[in-house]
Amino acid sequence: MAEFTFFGHSTVQFRTDTGKVVLIDPWVMQNPSCPDEIRRNLQSVDAMLITHAHNDHIGDAVELARRYEPSIVVANFETCQWLARKGVKNTSPMNIGGSQDVLGLRVTMTRADHSCGITDGDEILYGGAAGGYTVQMPGGFTFYHAGDTGLFSDMKLLAELYQPQLVFLPIGGLYTMDPHQAARACGFLQAKQIIPIHWGTFPSLTGKPIQLETELSKLGITTEMIAMEPGETYRR
Ligand code: NI
Ligand code: MN
C-alpha cells in the first residue's frame, strides 16, 4: 500500500509499505498552507526528494535534515553541494535522466521547464536545473511529481518509459502550468489519477482544481482528479 499526505503547496509525504517516510519538496514549517497538526505530528523523515531550490520547495530542507537525520537527501548536483555546505548529511546528487535507489524505490529525475536559483541571504546562487521525479515502487506502481514546470510534450516519453498511474502536477499558473495546460499534460502522461499541487498558496496562483476538472472534460481526458486539501491523506 502507498500512502500520500498532502502538506500543502508542492509538499507531499509518501509513506512506503515498510513505513518509511519520503518527503518531496520539504517546505513544512514556513509553508503557509501546511496545517499545524501536520507539523506537530511529523515523527520521522527517512528520505527527501527535492525538485528544485526555490524557497517554496527547499525552504525547510536544512532544518528538517538537522531534526530528522534522513538517510538520503536527493537533489540535483549543484543543489546537493549547497545543501552539504549548509550541514545537510547524506546528500545523494543526481541529474535529469539519472536513476537511483532510494529506500527500495527506483527514483528517476525528470525534466522540468523551470528555473532553479538558490536564494542564500541577499544572493541568488546557481542551483543547477529544475527537475521532477518518477518514483517506482517494488510492486510496479509508479507516481510522478513534476515539481514546478511549464507544459512540454515530452511528457509523452514519461508515459512511454514509466507509465505513471498517479501524477502530481502544478496548476496554479504564473510560475507553472495552469489548469488548461495541466489537463493537456494529463493527456500526454495518460495518467489514471492526478493530484493537483502548487495552487492556492498565494493570491497570485489563480488556477483551481475545479478549473482543471472542466478542462479535462473539455478535452475528453479520463484522468480522475483527486483534489486534496492540505493535511489530507490518500491511500491506494
Ligand atoms: Ni519554482
Ligand atoms: Mn514553486
Side-chain angles (χ1 to χ4, degrees):
M1 195 177 72
E3 190 188 281
F4 299 91
T5 302
F6 183 47
F7 281 22
H9 201 58
S10 290
T11 306
V12 175
Q13 177 191 267
F14 170 60
R15 193 183 293 272
T16 69
D17 46 12
T18 56
K20 299 281 189 191
V21 171
V22 179
L23 201 54
I24 305 173
D25 282 349
W27 195 42
V28 178
M29 290 82 89
Q30 301 174 68
N31 182 344
S33 294
C34 185
D36 256 338
E37 194 192 345
I38 286 282
R39 296 190 188 105
R40 275 200 310 272
N41 292 341
L42 188 59
Q43 302 290 332
S44 58
V45 178
D46 299 298
M48 295 201 284
L49 303 181
I50 296 163
T51 62
H52 67 296
H54 288 159
N55 202 51
D56 56 323
H57 299 260
I58 203 174
D60 293 314
V62 172
E63 177 59 21
L64 289 167
R66 196 187 60 75
R67 282 190 204 174
Y68 296 102
E69 303 180 330
S71 57
I72 181 166
V73 177
V74 176
N76 75 37
F77 177 78
E78 288 80 1
T79 299
C80 275
Q81 294 252 306
W82 180 81
L83 286 168
R85 276 208 305 278
K86 298 295 171 186
V88 175
K89 295 187 182 75
N90 304 325
T91 56
S92 188
M94 64 192 304
N95 220 321
I96 293 167
S99 299
Q100 63 175 314
D101 184 272
V102 176
L103 307 175
L105 307 162
R106 192 67 180 162
V107 171
T108 300
M109 187 177 270
T110 58
R111 166 180 163 189
D113 285 356
H114 196 64
S115 60
C116 190
I118 305 171
T119 303
D120 190 336
D122 57 4
E123 278 188 306
I124 294 189
L125 307 175
Y126 177 68
Y133 295 100
T134 60
V135 178
Q136 189 181 356
M137 291 171 61
F141 172 76
T142 299
F143 70 90
Y144 168 50
H145 187 299
D148 282 358
T149 187
L151 180 62
F152 55 92
S153 59
D154 280 0
M155 284 180 180
K156 289 174 190 170
L157 288 175
L158 298 180
E160 217 174 282
L161 289 165
Y162 306 111
Q163 298 98 40
Q165 291 102 314
L166 170 65
V167 298
F168 295 85
L169 301 180
I171 65 158
L174 192 61
Y175 297 103
T176 69
M177 294 189 284
D178 62 14
H180 182 61
Q181 297 165 355
R184 194 54 67 101
C186 289
F188 289 160
L189 290 161
Q190 295 173 35
K192 286 198 178 67
Q193 294 167 319
I194 175 174
I195 295 176
I197 57 173
H198 215 271
W199 62 273
T201 320
F202 315 110
S204 60
L205 306 183
T206 55
K208 300 273 185 300
I210 182 81
Q211 297 167 327
L212 175 65
E213 207 153 45
T214 306
E215 296 290 340
L216 285 168
S217 65
K218 259 195 233 168
L219 292 172
I221 291 167
T222 56
T223 305
E224 177 199 2
M225 185 183 76
I226 303 168
M228 291 176 80
E229 290 299 322
E232 282 184 355
T233 294
Y234 170 67
R235 295 178 182 87
R236 68 163 313 285

